[in-house]
Each structure stands twice: as C-alpha cells, then as structure tokens.
Amino acid sequence: MKQSPGKRQRRHDEGTGRLAALLLSPTLLVLALVVLFPIISSLRESLYTSGVLDPETGFVNEGSVFAGLDNYTAIFSGEAGDRFWNAFYNTTFFTVVCVVLETILGVAMALIMHKAFKGRGIVRASILVPWAIPTVVSALLWKWIFQADGAANALMGTEILWSTEGWQSVLSVIIADTWKTAPFIGLLVLAGLQTISADIYEAAKVDGASPWQQFVRITLPLVKPALLVAVLFRLLDTLRLFDLPYVLVGPRKDSVETITMLAFDEATNTRYGPAAAYAFILFVYVAVVAFAFVKVLGADVIGEARVKTRTAGRKRWGGRGNGSPAAGGSAAGVKTGSEV
C-alpha cells in the first residue's frame, strides 16, 4: 500500500526519546545534587583560602580569600610536595598490591563456593563474613591482632611493632584490606560462574580439555565481564583508602599515609582550601584510572558490550530472531568448549 504524499510515515520508535528523557529526569536531578554539585563546590573551595594573615594590620582575615591556583601549587612544592608524592605513592602502591591479591584470592574463593559439596552453605557464609564487617570494626580487630602482645606476635614468636613506621605497618594494612575485601570479588565472580552452562564443560571434557584448559579457555573468558566490574570497583575503592590505615596504624605515618588522609588532616586543621585541593586532585586521579580501565580492558559497566554484540550478531546472521546463534548463548558456549 502506497503512502499518500501528504502524510508522513510514523516511525515505530517515535517519541521514545522524549519519554526516556522524562523518565530519567528525576534520576539525573538526584545525580546532579549528590555528584555534580559537590564536585563543583569542592573545586570552588579549592580556589579559596582562609585564616590568611593581613601584613598591613597584623590580624587574621575573617572568611575566605580568593587564592587562585595557590593551593594547588603549594601541594607540589617544598615539604608539602614531598608529603604529597609520598602519599601518592602509598595510594598507588596499596591499590596495585591489594587489588592483585584480592583478585587472585577472590577468584579462588568463587571457584570453591561454586563447587557442589556438603556444607557449601556454611563455607559461603564464612567467606562472606569479613566483607559484612564494617571497615572501622575490622581495623580495630586487626589492631588488636597486631599489637605488641597480640595474636600475630604470639603465633610467630616475634615482637614486631606493627603500628610503627616501616614495612610492618604497610604489610599490616595490606593483610587487613585483603582479608576484608577479597570476598567482595569472590561474590561477584561467583555470580558470573553460576551463569555458565554445565554443557560447555561437558563438551570440553569430551574434547579432552584438561581442568587448567577449561579454566583458561572457558571460565575466565565467560566470567570476564563480572570480574572486570569487580576489579574496577575495588580499584576505585582502594584509591580512596582512608579508614583502615587511619585506625589500624594511625595518622601522620609516612609509611601508610594516603591522599585522603592528607585531605582529612588539612580539613581538621581548618585549612579547607588545601583540603579541597587534595580532594579534587584525588577525584581527577580516580576518574583517569576509571576511564583508562574501561577503555583499555573494556569493563562492561553500562552494558555497551552486550548491545554491540547483539548488533553485530544481527548483521552477521541477517537479522534473525531468537533462533539465530547470535541470539542464544548455548551455541556460542558449545563453540567455545569445542575450540579448547
């Protein structure tokens, strides 16, 4: 049937964009209030300073005085610069070491929890207990373990002062953070493992694949989306590490001081401008790490990978529906198992 010249054909998705914008507007408004507004306020506060001595009168000026980029330049110069780069190194070191250890242990925990054996529920509950404990409570627990007459020295037969400056305080923070948050990665990886069909492993066994080959060729590729999201969350969380080293070791300890601890120290001394500058620098650092992680490793945090896969599948199989291999996961899974 031909369309009349005076009428425009109506698209099936016409108006959905306006409807989507209308439905998302409350969420966008909340995000603007809880995310965008604090970021802008922090940036504005970092351009001001308070408690400035007036050289003409000899009195301290009331309120805030516009300082421009002075708060940022002061961070990278002199004693403050040495302290900042030390905190920057500690933050990066804790992030890399803790996330690597937590990923290895988390995957191992997920594989254990995924196996069918008697008492699996008790094992799962016991593994997830550290993650359920608040960080401050966990820090106090490990502080008791690592004190001079604590359980750690009693078990090892040593007299190490874990809360003093040195490698021992760094090691105590790494142990406590890994113990607490490795179950988080294990929980997300376990969710990914439970979506893998057992038929894939059966096909791989028929093809003669060893357990290691099944893990490398099947398990890791199929749990990669969940694993990358878990690692990304842990990266962002560890970059903001504060409460664990602050409670476990203490403030102003060069060996464990992080950027967040610097910002907190400035804020407690009512130097809100430098504190905001530290916080904004940390925000930029976290944003750069998150962007690089998503772009380089392709962490599917918003579902783009699934959309691209479905689009590519429709183009490849001529736009067929649910019966096409692109639409179902079983055909792709059996192919993966046979390729081992």
Side-chain angles (χ1 to χ4, degrees):
M1 183 176 180
K2 288 188 176 181
Q3 179 182 356
S4 60
K7 292 185 178 180
R8 180 177 63 89
Q9 186 178 2
R10 187 178 180 87
R11 295 171 53 187
H12 70 281
D13 59 345
E14 188 173 351
T16 56
R18 290 190 295 271
L19 178 60
L22 180 63
L23 295 176
L24 289 175
S25 57
T27 302
L28 296 177
L29 179 61
V30 172
L31 288 177
L33 291 175
V34 301
V35 177
L36 186 60
F37 178 72
I39 292 174
I40 296 176
S41 299
S42 176
L43 178 60
R44 179 189 176 278
E45 185 67 31
S46 67
L47 301 178
Y48 287 82
T49 185
S50 58
V52 179
L53 183 66
D54 190 343
E56 297 181 357
T57 62
F59 294 100
V60 176
N61 293 327
E62 294 184 359
S64 300
V65 179
F66 182 76
L69 298 178
D70 291 347
N71 290 328
Y72 291 94
T73 56
I75 289 176
F76 299 100
S77 59
E79 184 179 351
D82 296 337
R83 191 180 177 192
F84 169 77
W85 288 115
N86 175 71
F88 182 85
Y89 169 79
N90 290 338
T91 302
T92 307
F93 178 79
F94 283 136
T95 300
V96 174
V97 174
C98 291
V99 171
V100 169
L101 292 176
E102 290 161 11
T103 302
I104 296 173
L105 292 177
V107 172
M109 290 177 181
L111 293 174
I112 294 174
M113 291 187 291
H114 186 61
K115 294 293 184 181
F117 58 90
K118 189 176 181 180
R120 183 174 62 173
I122 299 176
V123 173
R124 287 183 175 183
S126 62
I127 288 178
L128 295 178
V129 164
W131 173 249
I133 299 176
T135 305
V136 174
V137 177
S138 176
L140 290 173
L141 171 65
W142 282 100
K143 187 174 183 178
W144 173 78
I145 294 174
F146 285 129
Q147 64 185 4
D149 56 347
N153 285 339
L155 289 174
M156 295 187 297
T158 59
E159 295 182 357
I160 299 176
L161 301 177
W162 296 91
S163 59
T164 57
E165 290 282 7
W167 62 269
Q168 63 276 6
S169 59
V170 177
L171 183 60
S172 65
V173 173
I174 293 174
I175 292 174
D177 188 68
T178 303
W179 175 82
K180 173 173 172 51
T181 52
F184 171 75
I185 295 182
L187 182 64
L188 293 187
V189 174
L190 176 63
L193 287 174
Q194 292 179 338
T195 63
I196 303 176
S197 174
D199 296 337
I200 302 176
Y201 292 101
E202 293 297 331
K205 291 178 181 178
V206 171
D207 291 339
S210 64
W212 175 251
Q213 289 176 323
Q214 295 177 35
F215 175 75
V216 174
R217 302 275 185 94
I218 298 176
T219 304
L220 281 183
L222 294 181
V223 301
K224 179 183 175 182
L227 179 60
L228 289 181
V229 171
V231 172
L232 176 61
F233 286 169
R234 283 304 305 143
L235 278 174
L236 303 185
D237 198 25
T238 314
L239 285 172
R240 298 178 284 108
L241 187 65
F242 167 75
D243 41 4
L244 184 63
Y246 189 89
V247 176
L248 178 58
V249 181
R252 302 188 69 86
K253 297 291 182 65
D254 292 339
S255 56
V256 297
E257 191 171 49
T258 60
I259 300 178
T260 52
M261 295 173 71
L262 283 181
F264 179 79
D265 185 62
E266 294 292 327
T268 52
N269 288 283
T270 66
R271 295 189 290 266
Y272 301 114
Y278 280 120
F280 192 78
I281 290 175
L282 180 60
F283 163 74
V284 174
Y285 185 32
V286 171
V288 170
V289 170
F291 179 80
F293 187 87
V294 172
K295 286 297 181 181
V296 174
L297 296 179
D300 185 17
V301 294
I302 57 176
E304 288 183 350
R306 291 189 292 273
V307 174
K308 292 179 180 178
T309 302
R310 288 196 296 268
T311 304
R314 294 192 188 100
K315 292 179 179 179
R316 179 178 178 183
W317 298 98
R320 278 182 270 177
N322 294 334
S324 66
S330 58
V334 173
K335 183 179 179 182
T336 304
S338 61
E339 288 176 350
V340 175

Tab-separated table of all heavy atoms in Angstrom, residues 263-303:
chain	number	residue	atom	x	y	z
A	263	ALA	N	44.042	15.016	52.936
A	263	ALA	CA	42.890	15.913	52.875
A	263	ALA	C	42.208	16.012	54.236
A	263	ALA	O	41.807	17.111	54.667
A	263	ALA	CB	41.909	15.423	51.811
A	264	PHE	N	42.069	14.892	54.924
A	264	PHE	CA	41.434	14.902	56.241
A	264	PHE	C	42.270	15.698	57.240
A	264	PHE	O	41.723	16.448	58.065
A	264	PHE	CB	41.250	13.467	56.732
A	264	PHE	CG	40.615	13.363	58.087
A	264	PHE	CD1	39.247	13.514	58.244
A	264	PHE	CD2	41.388	13.122	59.217
A	264	PHE	CE1	38.653	13.414	59.493
A	264	PHE	CE2	40.807	13.026	60.464
A	264	PHE	CZ	39.438	13.179	60.604
A	265	ASP	N	43.581	15.563	57.164
A	265	ASP	CA	44.455	16.286	58.083
A	265	ASP	C	44.348	17.793	57.866
A	265	ASP	O	44.327	18.570	58.826
A	265	ASP	CB	45.906	15.821	57.893
A	265	ASP	CG	46.845	16.448	58.903
A	265	ASP	OD1	46.670	16.213	60.116
A	265	ASP	OD2	47.760	17.194	58.483
A	266	GLU	N	44.281	18.218	56.605
A	266	GLU	CA	44.128	19.643	56.325
A	266	GLU	C	42.773	20.148	56.796
A	266	GLU	O	42.667	21.251	57.339
A	266	GLU	CB	44.282	19.892	54.821
A	266	GLU	CG	45.673	19.613	54.267
A	266	GLU	CD	46.692	20.616	54.774
A	266	GLU	OE1	46.316	21.780	54.994
A	266	GLU	OE2	47.864	20.237	54.968
A	267	ALA	N	41.731	19.351	56.599
A	267	ALA	CA	40.389	19.784	56.992
A	267	ALA	C	40.247	19.888	58.504
A	267	ALA	O	39.596	20.811	59.012
A	267	ALA	CB	39.346	18.814	56.435
A	268	THR	N	40.847	18.952	59.248
A	268	THR	CA	40.760	19.005	60.712
A	268	THR	C	41.516	20.202	61.282
A	268	THR	O	41.230	20.634	62.401
A	268	THR	CB	41.320	17.714	61.330
A	268	THR	OG1	42.634	17.458	60.806
A	268	THR	CG2	40.414	16.532	61.015
A	269	ASN	N	42.454	20.736	60.516
A	269	ASN	CA	43.179	21.939	60.932
A	269	ASN	C	42.575	23.200	60.307
A	269	ASN	O	43.251	24.233	60.236
A	269	ASN	CB	44.656	21.821	60.544
A	269	ASN	CG	45.407	20.832	61.400
A	269	ASN	OD1	45.772	21.110	62.542
A	269	ASN	ND2	45.626	19.630	60.866
A	270	THR	N	41.323	23.099	59.867
A	270	THR	CA	40.536	24.194	59.291
A	270	THR	C	41.190	24.834	58.077
A	270	THR	O	40.921	25.987	57.763
A	270	THR	CB	40.232	25.279	60.357
A	270	THR	OG1	41.454	25.912	60.743
A	270	THR	CG2	39.534	24.672	61.559
A	271	ARG	N	42.038	24.086	57.378
A	271	ARG	CA	42.590	24.566	56.109
A	271	ARG	C	41.768	23.933	54.982
A	271	ARG	O	42.208	22.983	54.327
A	271	ARG	CB	44.070	24.208	56.001
A	271	ARG	CG	44.941	24.910	57.046
A	271	ARG	CD	46.415	24.696	56.758
A	271	ARG	NE	46.820	23.326	56.994
A	271	ARG	CZ	47.337	22.870	58.126
A	271	ARG	NH1	47.496	23.703	59.152
A	271	ARG	NH2	47.689	21.613	58.265
A	272	TYR	N	40.575	24.464	54.805
A	272	TYR	CA	39.622	23.825	53.898
A	272	TYR	C	40.005	23.997	52.425
A	272	TYR	O	39.667	23.147	51.613
A	272	TYR	CB	38.221	24.385	54.148
A	272	TYR	CG	37.740	24.164	55.559
A	272	TYR	CD1	37.532	25.236	56.423
A	272	TYR	CD2	37.512	22.877	56.030
A	272	TYR	CE1	37.108	25.028	57.727
A	272	TYR	CE2	37.083	22.662	57.333
A	272	TYR	CZ	36.886	23.743	58.178
A	272	TYR	OH	36.473	23.529	59.468
A	273	GLY	N	40.668	25.078	52.087
A	273	GLY	CA	41.104	25.266	50.707
A	273	GLY	C	42.098	24.203	50.256
A	273	GLY	O	41.865	23.510	49.249
A	274	PRO	N	43.211	24.001	50.974
A	274	PRO	CA	44.121	22.909	50.616
A	274	PRO	C	43.475	21.532	50.697
A	274	PRO	O	43.780	20.661	49.875
A	274	PRO	CB	45.252	23.053	51.651
A	274	PRO	CG	45.229	24.486	52.039
A	274	PRO	CD	43.791	24.885	52.005
A	275	ALA	N	42.585	21.336	51.688
A	275	ALA	CA	41.900	20.051	51.783
A	275	ALA	C	41.053	19.792	50.540
A	275	ALA	O	41.042	18.679	49.997
A	275	ALA	CB	41.015	20.022	53.032
A	276	ALA	N	40.348	20.815	50.067
A	276	ALA	CA	39.552	20.662	48.846
A	276	ALA	C	40.445	20.430	47.634
A	276	ALA	O	40.074	19.695	46.710
A	276	ALA	CB	38.680	21.897	48.639
A	277	ALA	N	41.625	21.043	47.621
A	277	ALA	CA	42.553	20.826	46.512
A	277	ALA	C	43.038	19.376	46.482
A	277	ALA	O	43.102	18.752	45.407
A	277	ALA	CB	43.737	21.780	46.634
A	278	TYR	N	43.377	18.827	47.644
A	278	TYR	CA	43.753	17.409	47.712
A	278	TYR	C	42.603	16.520	47.228
A	278	TYR	O	42.814	15.569	46.471
A	278	TYR	CB	44.118	17.034	49.148
A	278	TYR	CG	45.497	17.425	49.572
A	278	TYR	CD1	45.695	18.288	50.650
A	278	TYR	CD2	46.626	16.936	48.913
A	278	TYR	CE1	46.968	18.653	51.049
A	278	TYR	CE2	47.906	17.305	49.312
A	278	TYR	CZ	48.065	18.165	50.375
A	278	TYR	OH	49.331	18.526	50.769
A	279	ALA	N	41.396	16.844	47.681
A	279	ALA	CA	40.241	16.032	47.300
A	279	ALA	C	39.982	16.101	45.795
A	279	ALA	O	39.659	15.081	45.170
A	279	ALA	CB	39.005	16.500	48.069
A	280	PHE	N	40.148	17.285	45.208
A	280	PHE	CA	39.892	17.410	43.771
A	280	PHE	C	40.976	16.708	42.966
A	280	PHE	O	40.687	16.095	41.929
A	280	PHE	CB	39.814	18.884	43.376
A	280	PHE	CG	39.282	19.097	41.997
A	280	PHE	CD1	37.926	19.005	41.741
A	280	PHE	CD2	40.130	19.369	40.943
A	280	PHE	CE1	37.428	19.187	40.459
A	280	PHE	CE2	39.650	19.559	39.662
A	280	PHE	CZ	38.289	19.469	39.415
A	281	ILE	N	42.213	16.756	43.412
A	281	ILE	CA	43.281	16.025	42.727
A	281	ILE	C	43.012	14.526	42.782
A	281	ILE	O	43.192	13.803	41.792
A	281	ILE	CB	44.643	16.368	43.359
A	281	ILE	CG1	45.039	17.804	43.029
A	281	ILE	CG2	45.724	15.403	42.881
A	281	ILE	CD1	46.303	18.267	43.717
A	282	LEU	N	42.561	14.042	43.930
A	282	LEU	CA	42.212	12.622	44.046
A	282	LEU	C	41.043	12.270	43.127
A	282	LEU	O	41.033	11.193	42.511
A	282	LEU	CB	41.867	12.283	45.488
A	282	LEU	CG	41.483	10.825	45.756
A	282	LEU	CD1	42.626	9.881	45.387
A	282	LEU	CD2	41.090	10.634	47.214
A	283	PHE	N	40.070	13.167	43.020
A	283	PHE	CA	38.939	12.928	42.112
A	283	PHE	C	39.421	12.786	40.671
A	283	PHE	O	38.985	11.886	39.947
A	283	PHE	CB	37.939	14.074	42.231
A	283	PHE	CG	36.970	14.142	41.081
A	283	PHE	CD1	35.934	13.227	40.966
A	283	PHE	CD2	37.092	15.128	40.115
A	283	PHE	CE1	35.049	13.286	39.903
A	283	PHE	CE2	36.218	15.193	39.052
A	283	PHE	CZ	35.183	14.271	38.942
A	284	VAL	N	40.315	13.655	40.250
A	284	VAL	CA	40.851	13.573	38.881
A	284	VAL	C	41.631	12.278	38.698
A	284	VAL	O	41.507	11.604	37.659
A	284	VAL	CB	41.735	14.796	38.587
A	284	VAL	CG1	42.419	14.650	37.232
A	284	VAL	CG2	40.915	16.078	38.616
A	285	TYR	N	42.404	11.890	39.694
A	285	TYR	CA	43.186	10.654	39.623
A	285	TYR	C	42.266	9.439	39.486
A	285	TYR	O	42.480	8.566	38.643
A	285	TYR	CB	44.055	10.540	40.868
A	285	TYR	CG	45.011	9.360	40.880
A	285	TYR	CD1	45.566	8.868	39.707
A	285	TYR	CD2	45.359	8.741	42.083
A	285	TYR	CE1	46.438	7.798	39.726
A	285	TYR	CE2	46.236	7.681	42.111
A	285	TYR	CZ	46.768	7.211	40.923
A	285	TYR	OH	47.629	6.141	40.938
A	286	VAL	N	41.216	9.399	40.301
A	286	VAL	CA	40.264	8.285	40.243
A	286	VAL	C	39.550	8.259	38.896
A	286	VAL	O	39.353	7.186	38.294
A	286	VAL	CB	39.253	8.393	41.401
A	286	VAL	CG1	38.127	7.387	41.227
A	286	VAL	CG2	39.945	8.171	42.736
A	287	ALA	N	39.158	9.434	38.392
A	287	ALA	CA	38.460	9.491	37.105
A	287	ALA	C	39.354	9.014	35.965
A	287	ALA	O	38.903	8.284	35.076
A	287	ALA	CB	37.984	10.923	36.844
A	288	VAL	N	40.624	9.395	35.989
A	288	VAL	CA	41.555	8.964	34.941
A	288	VAL	C	41.766	7.454	34.989
A	288	VAL	O	41.764	6.774	33.951
A	288	VAL	CB	42.901	9.715	35.078
A	288	VAL	CG1	43.965	9.105	34.171
A	288	VAL	CG2	42.717	11.187	34.745
A	289	VAL	N	41.941	6.903	36.191
A	289	VAL	CA	42.140	5.459	36.335
A	289	VAL	C	40.895	4.707	35.855
A	289	VAL	O	41.003	3.709	35.131
A	289	VAL	CB	42.459	5.106	37.801
A	289	VAL	CG1	42.425	3.595	38.011
A	289	VAL	CG2	43.822	5.650	38.186
A	290	ALA	N	39.710	5.172	36.236
A	290	ALA	CA	38.477	4.506	35.814
A	290	ALA	C	38.312	4.562	34.304
A	290	ALA	O	37.951	3.560	33.662
A	290	ALA	CB	37.282	5.147	36.507
A	291	PHE	N	38.579	5.727	33.709
A	291	PHE	CA	38.437	5.868	32.258
A	291	PHE	C	39.433	4.969	31.529
A	291	PHE	O	39.070	4.280	30.563
A	291	PHE	CB	38.658	7.329	31.863
A	291	PHE	CG	38.546	7.577	30.386
A	291	PHE	CD1	37.304	7.700	29.782
A	291	PHE	CD2	39.683	7.694	29.597
A	291	PHE	CE1	37.196	7.931	28.421
A	291	PHE	CE2	39.582	7.921	28.237
A	291	PHE	CZ	38.333	8.041	27.647
A	292	ALA	N	40.680	4.950	31.997
A	292	ALA	CA	41.687	4.100	31.351
A	292	ALA	C	41.345	2.627	31.503
A	292	ALA	O	41.518	1.840	30.561
A	292	ALA	CB	43.067	4.392	31.958
A	293	PHE	N	40.850	2.237	32.660
A	293	PHE	CA	40.497	0.835	32.889
A	293	PHE	C	39.385	0.394	31.957
A	293	PHE	O	39.433	-0.684	31.361
A	293	PHE	CB	40.074	0.648	34.352
A	293	PHE	CG	39.839	-0.784	34.740
A	293	PHE	CD1	40.888	-1.576	35.180
A	293	PHE	CD2	38.577	-1.340	34.681
A	293	PHE	CE1	40.683	-2.895	35.554
A	293	PHE	CE2	38.354	-2.653	35.040
A	293	PHE	CZ	39.415	-3.431	35.470
A	294	VAL	N	38.351	1.231	31.815
A	294	VAL	CA	37.222	0.882	30.957
A	294	VAL	C	37.646	0.838	29.498
A	294	VAL	O	37.254	-0.064	28.744
A	294	VAL	CB	36.069	1.883	31.172
A	294	VAL	CG1	34.965	1.650	30.144
A	294	VAL	CG2	35.508	1.754	32.580
A	295	LYS	N	38.469	1.793	29.077
A	295	LYS	CA	38.865	1.855	27.672
A	295	LYS	C	39.858	0.767	27.298
A	295	LYS	O	39.753	0.148	26.235
A	295	LYS	CB	39.473	3.231	27.365
A	295	LYS	CG	38.451	4.345	27.279
A	295	LYS	CD	37.477	4.102	26.139
A	295	LYS	CE	36.464	5.219	26.015
A	295	LYS	NZ	35.487	4.969	24.919
A	296	VAL	N	40.828	0.509	28.163
A	296	VAL	CA	41.875	-0.458	27.834
A	296	VAL	C	41.377	-1.889	27.975
A	296	VAL	O	41.551	-2.727	27.079
A	296	VAL	CB	43.123	-0.227	28.722
A	296	VAL	CG1	44.157	-1.319	28.496
A	296	VAL	CG2	43.731	1.136	28.415
A	297	LEU	N	40.739	-2.196	29.109
A	297	LEU	CA	40.302	-3.567	29.372
A	297	LEU	C	38.860	-3.823	28.963
A	297	LEU	O	38.425	-4.973	28.947
A	297	LEU	CB	40.477	-3.903	30.858
A	297	LEU	CG	41.936	-3.889	31.347
A	297	LEU	CD1	41.984	-4.217	32.830
A	297	LEU	CD2	42.787	-4.864	30.559
A	298	GLY	N	38.101	-2.768	28.656
A	298	GLY	CA	36.746	-2.956	28.180
A	298	GLY	C	35.797	-3.462	29.238
A	298	GLY	O	34.993	-4.354	28.981
A	299	ALA	N	35.854	-2.921	30.451
A	299	ALA	CA	34.922	-3.324	31.500
A	299	ALA	C	33.511	-2.907	31.112
A	299	ALA	O	33.243	-1.732	30.866
A	299	ALA	CB	35.310	-2.677	32.839
A	300	ASP	N	32.592	-3.861	31.048
A	300	ASP	CA	31.218	-3.613	30.608
A	300	ASP	C	30.388	-3.135	31.792
A	300	ASP	O	29.613	-3.879	32.375
A	300	ASP	CB	30.632	-4.894	30.012
A	300	ASP	CG	29.241	-4.664	29.431
A	300	ASP	OD1	28.900	-3.494	29.206
A	300	ASP	OD2	28.524	-5.651	29.219
A	301	VAL	N	30.555	-1.848	32.160
A	301	VAL	CA	29.877	-1.318	33.332
A	301	VAL	C	28.490	-0.786	33.010
A	301	VAL	O	27.668	-0.597	33.898
A	301	VAL	CB	30.717	-0.199	33.997
A	301	VAL	CG1	31.984	-0.766	34.551
A	301	VAL	CG2	31.012	0.914	32.993
A	302	ILE	N	28.183	-0.524	31.746
A	302	ILE	CA	26.870	0.013	31.397
A	302	ILE	C	26.183	-0.791	30.315
A	302	ILE	O	25.209	-0.359	29.727
A	302	ILE	CB	26.965	1.486	30.953
A	302	ILE	CG1	27.942	1.630	29.771
A	302	ILE	CG2	27.372	2.378	32.086
A	302	ILE	CD1	28.012	3.039	29.225
A	303	GLY	N	26.703	-1.974	30.032
A	303	GLY	CA	26.025	-2.849	29.102
A	303	GLY	C	26.305	-2.584	27.640
A	303	GLY	O	25.635	-3.121	26.773
